[in-house]
Amino acid sequence: MLPGNTSDTVHQYFSYLVRHPAFLGALIGVLAAFSQALLISAGGPEAYGFCVACHTRDLVNGMTNIIAGTSLALAPISGNAVLPVMSVAGVLIGAYLSARMYREHRIKRGDLKDYAIYFLGGFIVLQLAMIFGGCPYRAALRTGYGDITALAFIITMAAGVIVGTLLMLRQAQKEDA
Amino acid sequence: MATGILPTGVAVYAVPLVTILLGILIGFLAQRSGYCSIGGFRDYVLFRHTRLLSGYLALIVASFFGYLLFWFLAPAAMEHFFWALTSDPMSPVPGAPGGLVPVAYLLISVITGFFVGFICVLLGGCPIRQTVMASEGNYKAGFFFLGMCLGSIIFAAYVSGWFTILMRSIGFGG
């Protein structure tokens, strides 16, 4: 192979890797462990490196506590630190930058009924996730940490997804007929 | 109390900084790859596609090896690694409302897991996918995120307390 093509091959391989979900999954797993090793002195809980639902709770409640002087409950790591965990703000920024860079930013509007359903859906999913103590991502981290209840969560989550998918499939077939 | 690599005085300042950098990296790559845990199971059921599912399975496996690696490097930070062996095997890692009997946690995991999967697949994505789609300019996903924001305040102010009272009253208080 010519030297000029080698960098192209490396580039192609790298861009394939970056676009593959398994690469990101592996990266989140290792980085979550790294962030726990780095930051656990600030406070628990363990296996808390990355979680969309919990970190949204910490961000919203932590900032509300700072701005409005309330004392809403949050994880010790966010309560002890100068500012709560910022992962979710980071995800919003990172995804916006990526969408802008690759011209995938598209405004998609729905009607008022859609907004109400999604708002209610987000509200209910957060309640369920908080009662369990994590979204699907923290469940995965907890499973990696050796928590059996989190494994049970993932298994029944898969069952819930299968039931929901079959329901949607049946609905679609009914509309076709 | 577990001690990490950084001393407490530094860690309290490092928390927002490290987590926002981590979040930006994850958000960037999640937008590139369309990463979604619920979508992985859905695509497998519908089309037998394993692309997204491999992402979620890789997360579970990599988190185990990641914790194993840092358990070797900084054992004091991973006090309860191999949770099922170092503590009560049926108890969860803390983070949820505490003070219940172990069987209650298993029951909670099973029930909440089912409904999280069911609701998320009907709305077309797990929490991280909705957050990424909100950043891509999808208003519906944006409202999902706003629902999560309001939900977190309502949970801390009311639901958490009601839930504990409910569980105690049906005999699950530890």
Side-chain angles (χ1 to χ4, degrees):
Chain A
M1 194 181 288
L2 291 167
N5 290 344
T6 322
S7 81
D8 278 1
T9 318
V10 169
H11 185 78
Q12 272 175 7
Y13 190 71
F14 185 72
S15 88
Y16 173 80
L17 200 65
V18 161
R19 297 183 58 133
H20 203 287
F23 174 69
L24 177 60
L27 195 73
I28 296 176
V30 175
L31 286 178
F34 172 66
S35 99
Q36 174 172 340
L38 207 59
L39 302 172
I40 193 77
S41 304
E46 289 163 89
Y48 199 66
F50 183 70
C51 171
V52 177
C54 308
H55 287 194
T56 304
R57 187 264 320 259
D58 280 5
L59 182 61
V60 171
N61 289 2
M63 293 319 265
T64 311
N65 285 349
I66 290 171
I67 293 166
T70 50
S71 55
L72 298 165
L74 35 75
I77 188 169
S78 299
N80 297 337
V82 285
L83 285 172
V85 289
M86 290 283 174
S87 322
V88 179
V91 169
L92 285 169
I93 296 167
Y96 181 76
L97 288 178
S98 170
R100 278 285 177 200
M101 260 172 78
Y102 293 91
R103 299 174 193 283
E104 285 174 3
H105 189 87
R106 302 262 185 285
I107 299 292
K108 283 182 201 154
R109 291 175 212 276
D111 50 27
L112 214 58
K113 193 178 150 219
D114 285 335
Y115 293 159
I117 290 171
Y118 272 76
F119 188 82
L120 196 66
F123 186 91
I124 293 170
V125 166
L126 194 106
Q127 308 302 319
L128 294 169
M130 283 300 107
I131 287 170
F132 163 68
C135 69
Y137 298 97
R138 189 164 180 240
L141 295 180
R142 277 168 58 174
T143 306
Y145 209 65
D147 184 339
I148 294 168
T149 57
L151 185 62
F153 178 92
I154 291 177
I155 292 168
T156 52
M157 185 181 83
V161 172
I162 292 167
V163 171
T165 312
L166 294 181
L167 198 76
M168 285 200 303
L169 211 59
R170 183 171 295 179
Q171 206 74 28
Q173 280 164 350
K174 213 177 270 177
E175 276 166 20
D176 281 348
Chain B
M1 184 73 191
T3 40
I5 296 169
L6 296 177
T8 312
V10 181
V12 292
Y13 288 98
V15 164
L17 202 68
V18 171
T19 49
I20 200 166
L21 291 177
L22 212 88
I24 289 173
L25 181 65
I26 291 171
F28 193 94
L29 291 174
Q31 201 277 333
R32 290 279 75 215
S33 58
Y35 193 74
C36 181
S37 59
I38 306 279
F41 292 109
R42 179 199 59 205
D43 284 359
Y44 185 74
V45 172
L46 279 181
F47 315 115
R48 295 284 181 272
H49 284 179
T50 52
R51 184 183 162 85
L52 282 176
L53 188 61
S54 72
Y56 192 57
L57 298 181
L59 170 61
I60 299 173
V61 175
S63 68
F64 173 75
F65 284 107
Y67 285 124
L68 192 68
L69 174 70
F70 285 100
W71 182 62
F72 279 122
L73 297 178
M78 307 280 158
E79 239 181 339
H80 298 101
F81 185 50
F82 301 118
W83 181 266
L85 301 178
T86 51
S87 60
D88 186 3
M90 279 297 154
S91 70
V93 177
L100 307 177
V101 294
V103 66
Y105 285 115
L106 198 61
L107 214 62
I108 288 167
S109 299
V110 169
I111 294 169
T112 56
F114 184 84
F115 284 103
V116 166
F118 186 75
I119 295 171
C120 283
V121 79
L122 292 187
L123 298 182
C126 65
I128 198 177
R129 185 76 193 125
Q130 301 283 1
T131 312
V132 169
M133 286 198 296
S135 268
E136 285 175 349
N138 186 327
Y139 274 48
K140 290 193 276 188
F143 272 89
F144 185 96
F145 186 72
L146 288 179
M148 291 213 301
C149 290
L150 182 71
S152 55
I153 293 177
I154 301 293
F155 181 82
Y158 303 107
V159 180
S160 175
W162 293 342
F163 179 73
T164 314
I165 293 168
L166 175 75
M167 293 311 275
R168 292 226 173 99
S169 69
I170 56 175
F172 279 147

